Amino acid sequence: QVHLVESGGGLVQAGDSLRLSCAASGRTFSNYDMGWFRQAPGKEQEFVAAITRSGTSTYYAASVKGRFTISRDNTKNTVYLQMNSLKPEDTAVYYCAADRRVVTTTSDYWGQGTQVIVSS
């Protein structure tokens, strides 16, 4: 069992930055690929970013590439999402996920989510 807790969300203006954190506990963090997903009101959950267990490879949705950066610190059992140049369309609940294989919307382990609201 992996327990995930997100933090760092909030209300910001367009153009601002936020850093989300996801703290993991329960199993060996470095055995899991980690990812961030988001769900806006009335929309389906969508992939945002992912990072491999060693941190050597990262992947991004086209909509956030160049603005968001995913990273992890395996000594702190934490994955981060640095979000720059935020846009109103980034407004959503952001979730982190863990998987021993590839993180997808069907991964087994999820946090409770953290709300991000970007005002125009």
Side-chain angles (χ1 to χ4, degrees):
Q1 188 76 12
V2 177
H3 185 56
L4 304 172
V5 179
E6 302 97 334
S7 61
L11 171 63
V12 297
Q13 293 186 333
D16 285 351
S17 298
L18 274 178
R19 188 175 81 155
L20 306 183
S21 299
C22 173
S25 61
R27 293 290 180 95
T28 304
F29 181 68
S30 58
N31 287 345
Y32 291 83
D33 284 9
M34 300 295 297
W36 288 95
F37 296 76
R38 66 186 182 186
Q39 187 165 21
K43 294 187 177 181
E44 292 188 354
Q45 189 178 61
E46 65 173 352
F47 168 78
V48 176
I51 188 167
T52 54
R53 58 205 65 194
S54 64
T56 54
S57 296
T58 57
Y59 306 91
Y60 296 94
S63 58
V64 307
K65 198 168 186 178
R67 299 188 297 122
F68 291 10
T69 302
I70 187 171
S71 62
R72 65 190 295 161
D73 185 338
N74 286 348
T75 66
K76 296 182 178 179
N77 291 352
T78 301
V79 62
Y80 305 97
L81 185 68
Q82 178 67 43
M83 306 187 294
N84 298 330
S85 302
L86 283 161
K87 303 176 181 180
E89 50 264 44
D90 295 319
T91 294
V93 178
Y94 284 71
Y95 300 90
C96 68
D99 203 301
R100 290 183 66 92
R101 297 182 181 181
V102 177
V103 285
T104 69
T105 55
T106 61
S107 289
D108 288 335
Y109 302 111
W110 293 86
Q112 83 290 348
T114 186
Q115 176 78 58
V116 173
I117 300 174
V118 184
S119 63
S120 58

